[in-house]
Amino acid sequence: MIKLICRKTEKEASLAAANVMADVVRNNPTAVIGLATGSSPINMYKELIRMCSAGEISFKNVKSVNLDEYVGLSPDHDQSYAYFMNENLFKHIDIDKANTNLPSGLAADPAAECKRYDDVIASMGGVDIQLLGIGNNGHIGFNEPDDHFSKTTILVDLTDSTIDANARFFASRDLVPTRAISMGIGQIMAAKKVLLVAFGKGKADILEKAVFGPVTPAVPASILQFFHGEVIICADEDALSVIREKHPDALC
Ligand code: GLP
């Protein structure tokens, strides 16, 4: 079941998302949380940092597993997802860094790294909540549009549209890595709960396709329509504008 939480602004929707994540951690202090990068989760992470500093939540016994990492970037590269997680969340909260996991972008053998990451995910015994953003082309993690849904961790060739979209974070487009390692769709679908955050007009079309369009690997996020449990989407008015226009009853 997909539950749409609509807030006027990105900030308000991010607070709602932070509360969903915080509830999972408060109810289960040893929860396994699946984390995401990109610009969308940043405000949500800021609120989790605030909650942690205020003593409203603790990540002391939480384990985390991230969705993806660029191939070729070291953890100290300022555009690596390891660096992002450290700067935007881990170093500001009480999580034990030893309990945080990301694929390694520097593995000499990326295929072996995919296998290692499958083992890491399996060893967690289940992800309690998986946070997702959504790419402009409907990707989740780095699962790009394809003719099938990936089951396990995969080595991905990024599409031109994703490279274009992510070029804004790099000094030039040719510095954007062309490959990534991503948790598979099957592993995302195995989480107990999914929390997706999406903001801005640029996400409005793809969000409508993901939630109401045909379920197809051409729009990877559309598989969430078949999720076994609750998918909570926290979005602002802009990101929900096409849904509001085409499916007004779906929104509060
Ligand atoms: C990136 C990440 C995704 C993220 C997406 C959207 O490529 N791999 O996990 O959800 O792009 O990014 P943003 O939130 O910046 O729009």
Side-chain angles (χ1 to χ4, degrees), residues 37-40 68 81 133-135 139 141-142 162 166 168-169 203:
T37 52
S39 49
S40 305
D68 46 14
Y81 286 165
I134 182 169
H139 73 224
F142 262 135
T162 295
N166 291 359
R168 67 190 195 277
F169 299 115
K203 297 288 170 72

Side-chain angles (χ1 to χ4, degrees), residues 29 77 178:
H77 187 291
T178 56

Side-chain angles (χ1 to χ4, degrees), residues 175-197:
L175 292 176
V176 185
T178 56
R179 295 191 303 165
I181 291 176
S182 178
M183 189 187 286
I185 295 276
Q187 291 160 320
I188 292 170
M189 291 295 278
K192 293 190 184 123
K193 192 184 268 227
V194 162
L195 171 62
L196 187 147
V197 284

Side-chain angles (χ1 to χ4, degrees), residues 188-189 191-194 223-231:
I188 292 170
M189 291 295 278
K192 293 190 184 123
K193 192 184 268 227
V194 162
I223 192 71
L224 297 174
Q225 294 177 43
F226 289 165
F227 191 70
H228 60 92
E230 196 177 34
V231 176

